Amino acid sequence: MIINDEMYMRIALQLAAAAAGQTGINPVVGCVLVKDGRVVGMGAHLKRGDAHAEIHALNMAGAEAAGSTAYVTLEPCSHHGRTGPCSDRLIREGVKRVVVAAVDPNPVVAGSGIARLRAQGIEVTEGVLAAESEALNEAFNKYIVTRRPFVTVKTASTLDGKVAAAGGDSKWITGEAARGYVHTLRHRHQAILTGVGTVMADDPQLTTRLPVPGLSPVRIIADSMLRIPLESKLLHDGEAPVIVLTTAEAPEDRRRALEALGVQVIDCGPGPAVDLEAALARLGELEIGSVLVEAGGKLAGAFLERRLADKLVLFFAPKIIGGGAEAPGTFDFPGFRAMRQAIRLERMTVETFGEDVCFTGYPSYEAADS
């Protein structure tokens, strides 16, 4: 590996990260073209169906692309989808070397783009900052293989693990900085999911509100009996589509009323509760590749209990509210009889947002299954 490979790949990763949330089920990708020690082209994949990062960089470089080195955060594609193969364009433009961070897990690519480049005599270096690239595309990496969305569960609680006071008040547990970051999380996910109890209690919009306008996710409500009030704000604001996940037990007249408002109502199991596994399968069929769960303890706990949460983002405010069993907790599920069975978080990071602390990690269910 050339000493500057990591430097230029970091630029490509920054380009990719800037487009997080914009590409739907497609990956975020950045590309930098370097020739004679100069950056001659840069690009990022900005929107599903639009030109890929390599194409933007090649178009910027023009004739300078010949003899250059391309730094790409994900293996150049080799198939015809909504756009043509990027590997073919790199070959035609005379790029002499390609540095790739990560191999594309898409079964229709999975190394074939790299193989095509090498077959044409282009030098290919793999694995430069691979972990960083894989982290950027964790949702894509799961969806493209399983056809199930990547699930992030976000919570906000007091130091004693409460998400609301005994009287139901929950505004606000965390401060403005933490709440701002949550809106960034919404921008980066295709959908946001909550339970009907949250809608009935708070009447939220579940939109993205940032100083620089962001993308609002599809709003998804788990509502086994279609109890959602028909006057709820999110049913009328037109900010983003609404999907209601329900069961076969739900009243037909309520279903018709919601559909008349433009809501997509999806059956997920016979009841009495929404079958979360079936729900994620249906959302995958709708090409929703990432879901942010912002819900009360029962629904958040259900995702953990069923081993469906891929990532946890846990905010803690420096507050103690008490309230015992009357104050709802962060995760409400039957749990385990022994501490050795506890779900552990791996690859932990800790950040502060104002006075609040945020723990981000990936749950390991191995001990819980023992």
Side-chain angles (χ1 to χ4, degrees):
M1 183 178 71
I2 297 173
I3 194 168
N4 284 335
D5 283 353
E6 286 195 4
M7 180 183 75
Y8 290 121
M9 188 62 76
R10 289 195 188 281
I11 298 172
L13 287 165
Q14 290 169 0
L15 291 169
Q22 298 182 189
T23 58
I25 58 169
N26 282 9
V28 290
V29 183
C31 178
V32 174
L33 293 178
V34 178
K35 184 176 182 179
D36 298 329
R38 297 181 299 113
V39 173
V40 296
M42 296 188 295
H45 182 41
L46 300 176
K47 183 180 178 182
R48 187 183 181 197
D50 283 0
H52 289 184
E54 300 94 319
I55 305 307
H56 285 301
L58 289 166
N59 288 344
M60 180 179 177
E64 295 278 13
S68 68
T69 296
Y71 293 87
V72 191
T73 60
L74 190 67
E75 174 186 5
C77 64
S78 57
H79 65 293
H80 286 272
R82 292 179 179 230
T83 61
C86 292
S87 54
D88 287 358
R89 178 72 185 274
L90 290 165
I91 293 166
R92 287 200 307 271
E93 297 291 346
V95 171
K96 72 173 184 180
R97 179 172 178 252
V98 176
V99 181
V100 175
V103 174
D104 192 337
N106 187 345
V108 302
V109 183
S112 61
I114 290 173
R116 186 175 296 192
L117 294 170
R118 284 178 171 151
Q120 296 298 315
I122 296 176
E123 179 187 351
V124 179
T125 301
E126 300 177 50
V128 177
L129 301 182
E132 287 86 339
S133 174
E134 290 165 1
L136 271 180
N137 283 313
E138 59 190 6
F140 167 77
N141 292 342
K142 178 187 177 181
Y143 177 82
I144 202 64
V145 175
T146 67
R147 297 295 167 176
R148 299 290 189 273
F150 185 93
V151 176
T152 302
V153 176
K154 167 262 167 186
T155 68
S157 59
T158 60
L159 290 179
D160 52 342
K162 303 299 183 180
V163 298
D169 179 36
S170 62
K171 289 187 170 47
W172 294 102
I173 293 175
T174 53
E176 186 176 344
R179 298 199 301 273
Y181 179 63
V182 171
H183 285 282
T184 298
L185 288 176
R186 291 180 180 183
H187 169 78
R188 291 175 178 173
H189 287 76
Q190 283 184 265
I192 181 171
L193 188 154
T194 195
V196 67
T198 297
V199 177
M200 295 174 69
D202 300 335
D203 195 18
Q205 290 181 280
L206 303 178
T207 53
T208 299
R209 299 181 294 279
L210 293 168
V212 177
L215 300 174
S216 287
V218 175
R219 282 85 59 88
I220 303 173
I221 314 301
D223 184 1
S224 61
M225 292 300 292
L226 298 182
R227 295 184 296 140
I228 184 171
L230 296 180
E231 65 274 12
S232 298
K233 292 175 185 175
L234 59 82
L235 299 181
H236 299 279
D237 61 15
E239 293 290 332
V242 178
I243 296 173
V244 173
L245 308 174
T246 192
T247 68
E249 295 182 357
E252 189 60 33
D253 60 331
R254 297 286 296 178
R255 183 189 308 270
R256 289 195 297 268
L258 286 168
E259 290 175 341
L261 292 173
V263 175
Q264 184 173 5
V265 182
I266 300 176
D267 278 339
C268 300
V274 170
D275 183 330
L276 295 179
E277 290 87 346
L280 292 178
R282 290 298 310 276
L283 295 177
E285 292 170 0
L286 295 174
E287 296 191 331
I288 292 176
S290 59
V291 175
L292 177 65
V293 177
E294 289 189 43
K298 288 187 181 298
L299 186 53
F303 273 94
L304 277 183
E305 183 182 18
R306 291 165 173 77
R307 282 66 165 162
L308 299 175
D310 297 297
K311 184 177 183 177
L312 300 181
V313 179
L314 311 175
F315 287 93
F316 288 91
K319 302 173 182 177
I320 296 173
I321 194 78
E326 294 184 7
T330 309
F331 295 105
D332 184 357
F333 67 104
F336 311 104
R337 299 187 66 84
M339 189 60 68
R340 61 178 173 76
Q341 295 175 287
I343 297 168
R344 298 184 63 87
L345 292 191
E346 300 177 342
R347 292 177 282 157
M348 285 281 297
T349 58
V350 182
E351 298 176 90
T352 56
F353 295 86
E355 293 184 337
D356 304 314
V357 180
C358 178
F359 294 85
T360 300
Y362 299 82
S364 171
Y365 300 107
E366 290 182 7
D369 291 331
S370 63

